[in-house]
Amino acid sequence: MNLYAKMIIVLTLVGLISGGCLSVVDLLTRERIELNRQKEIEEAIGKVVPGTKNYTAAVEEKDFTVYKAKDEQENLIGYAIYAKGTGFQDIITLMFGTDPDLNLINSLTILEQKETPGLGAKITNREEFLRFWEDRECGQKLTLRKPAVETKEELSPSEVNTITGATISSQKVLDIVNLSLEQVKSLKNEGKLGGEE
Amino acid sequence: MDLLTILILSILVNNFVLYYFLGICPFLGVSKKIDSAVSMGLAVTFVMTITAVVSWLINHLILIPNNLGYLQIVSFILVIASLVQLVEMFIRKISPPLYQALGIYLPLITTNCAIMGLALLAALKNYNFITTVVFGFGSGVGFTLAIVLMAGIREQLELADVPEPLKGAGIALIVAGIMALAFTGFSGMIQ
Amino acid sequence: MAAKSIGQEYVKGLWAENPVFRQLLGMCPTLAVTNAVINGIAMGLATSFVLILSSLVVSSIKKLIPNQVRIASYIVIIATFVTIADRFMAAFFPPISKALGPYVPLIVVNCIILGRQEAFASKNSVGRSLVDALGMSTGFILALLLLSSIREILGAGTFLGHQVLGEWFKPWIIMILPAGAFITLGILLGLALLIEMKTQRRRA
């Protein structure tokens, strides 16, 4: 057979076999990958809204999702808010949990970050950063306390502590949360979050 | 995220070479003279912008709607390889002087991580169309910036007394490291 | 040129033709994922998977592929294995997959792989190609291991996540940053060349 035909046949065969193999691999792994992603979200929600037995996504946008956290009886026990924003060097992905009235932040967890190791990366550290985010009043905007304080008692209820040497990363986390809170509150006022079912 | 932010991010803060480590081969290979560095940079920027457009189209018009995400790698690399061929032929026909300046660098770009890296990163970041194009253009500019700076330094290094084992790639990498350190200073620019 | 023994075919990948230190190939992933030893090892294994399987396939069907379409065919074969590796990592090792990010798909443009197909697998028997691929893979993993060990120990005081240097050591954060990657690799390349030069001189 002439060269031209051979070229076409070989390329087509290689393409088909490749496509075939890949669709098999896709079938084998697709579910698992989706499950991994869901597990991560579920764990985070359980962390920031303790006692969650069930959850649904009330609002889903590109870098922002609001989950309604519920107990066994399907009562709303809080919101878990997933948000992405610019950090110091790259994107920070986090989730924080609030009470059903959006007045109190239970806690915050960082899902993904690429901040400076040893400095900005400390935002994932409970001892040095995250514990200051527990039980914060978020009726109004939260503020950042600098320079950093030693104990939580020194902070006012709507203040969070900065990390010494990583003020910008700390600020970025705060900005993401404040922005998200604004969005959730206005969504709630517009009735977009649904009833208390 | 507005376009100016993306531009600054891709040129300075998340510089393609000095932050993402993409395009090291051409970066080391073509940075000995400023002229060739500029030509390479322009060629890369050109191809990157087109790749940004094409990869976005493939992803959003073909792959995602048909649930063919797993074919991303294969389709991207094949398209990029053909794209560079086409671009080379196109430039050769349309503008021989431009081909003289850029042409020889284009084949060098095909199998290097810069272009494929751009397609993959753009797909990961999931921007809309215009933002993706700006991202592609900005990344190219960032690459050009890094490679031209490197060429400037290396031209001076030719006259310096570099220890024998470090000549060539060794000293180039160390210089790149210092540049990367300098560029880290751009972090935190985005409010 | 005398044919190499199987043993020599393997060993050359470790030093004399080490893909990173001597051939200067595959530097993008070497710099990008060596901020921690576990990442370096994972990347090394993924790349080896692709290299070994691609070499096996290419060398098995080399006679069937017309010359003009060989590069395109190799690319499709390599890309297929890369996708497989990427998917399996995402499914079964999600935290590592996240840490390595876009660099696993980028194995498809890792010059080591296409380079070996062009230079070796397309011209040698399946057996030899396998050994060559194994050698290159080992060399690559060793290079990644070396670089990531230096960066993790000096940059974080840990090895594979375990503290190895005591409280007295203040980590050199720069090692984890891109700058540290460049500088360390540059110095290692210089050392490799130095050793090579000294060996040459002794032989002469």
Side-chain angles (χ1 to χ4, degrees), chain A residues 18-19 22-24 26 30 62 86-91 114 168 172 175, chain B residues 1 13-14 19-20 67 70-71 74 125-128 184 187-188 190-191:
Chain A
S18 156
L22 288 183
S23 35
V24 170
D26 180 56
R30 180 183 286 261
K62 210 175 106 169
T86 336
F88 181 60
Q89 285 217 292
D90 221 319
I91 308 280
K114 288 210 170 76
I168 299 191
K172 295 291 182 186
D175 291 342
Chain B
M1 233 189 269
V13 183
N14 295 146
Y19 180 77
Y20 281 124
N67 245 320
Y70 60 93
L71 288 180
V74 183
K125 292 192 189 263
N126 210 12
Y127 296 137
N128 66 30
T184 319
S187 321
I190 306 297
Q191 275 316 316

Side-chain angles (χ1 to χ4, degrees), chain C:
Chain C
M1 187 175 70
K4 292 201 176 81
S5 73
I6 291 287
Q8 284 174 316
E9 212 71 269
Y10 176 79
V11 167
K12 73 177 194 281
L14 298 179
W15 177 254
E17 288 180 39
N18 183 291
V20 176
F21 294 126
R22 304 312 315 287
Q23 296 188 62
L24 300 184
L25 298 173
M27 279 197 273
C28 302
T30 310
L31 291 164
V33 306
T34 46
N35 47 6
V37 177
I38 188 73
N39 293 344
I41 295 181
M43 176 57 105
L45 290 173
T47 313
S48 308
F49 171 78
V50 177
L51 178 58
I52 294 172
L53 288 178
S54 304
S55 292
L56 276 174
V57 172
V58 166
S59 144
S60 312
I61 63 174
K62 60 183 178 289
K63 300 232 168 75
L64 300 172
I65 303 185
N67 205 31
Q68 292 80 347
V69 296
R70 72 181 195 290
I71 297 283
S73 315
Y74 298 166
I75 289 182
V76 174
I77 295 173
I78 296 174
T80 310
F81 286 121
V82 172
T83 311
I84 296 178
D86 183 43
R87 284 269 149 166
F88 266 98
M89 269 184 120
F92 298 107
F93 302 100
I96 300 221
S97 177
K98 253 210 214 159
L100 294 181
Y103 293 102
V104 175
L106 280 176
I107 295 178
V108 77
V109 281
N110 187 326
C111 347
I112 299 179
I113 306 192
L114 193 59
R116 271 355 259 174
Q117 308 316 311
E118 254 300 89
F120 202 91
S122 56
K123 304 182 183 147
N124 284 277
S125 68
V126 178
R128 280 193 176 266
S129 302
L130 176 62
V131 176
D132 174 79
L134 283 170
M136 292 289 152
S137 301
T138 317
F140 187 58
I141 295 181
L142 286 177
L144 289 176
L145 201 54
L146 184 59
L147 194 58
S148 57
S149 304
I150 296 178
R151 286 182 73 193
E152 189 179 343
I153 295 181
L154 289 179
T158 62
F159 185 82
L160 282 176
H162 301 296
Q163 200 76 24
V164 285
L165 292 177
E167 284 293 315
W168 56 271
F169 180 73
K170 284 267 173 265
W172 301 359
I173 306 274
I174 185 178
M175 280 303 183
I176 309 273
L177 297 177
F182 281 115
I183 297 179
T184 312
L185 185 59
I187 296 180
L188 285 176
L189 281 179
L191 276 172
L193 213 50
L194 186 66
I195 297 178
E196 182 64 25
M197 283 162 57
K198 289 237 155 86
T199 334
Q200 297 266 3
R201 243 170 251 157
R202 217 179 298 138
R203 280 204 205 120

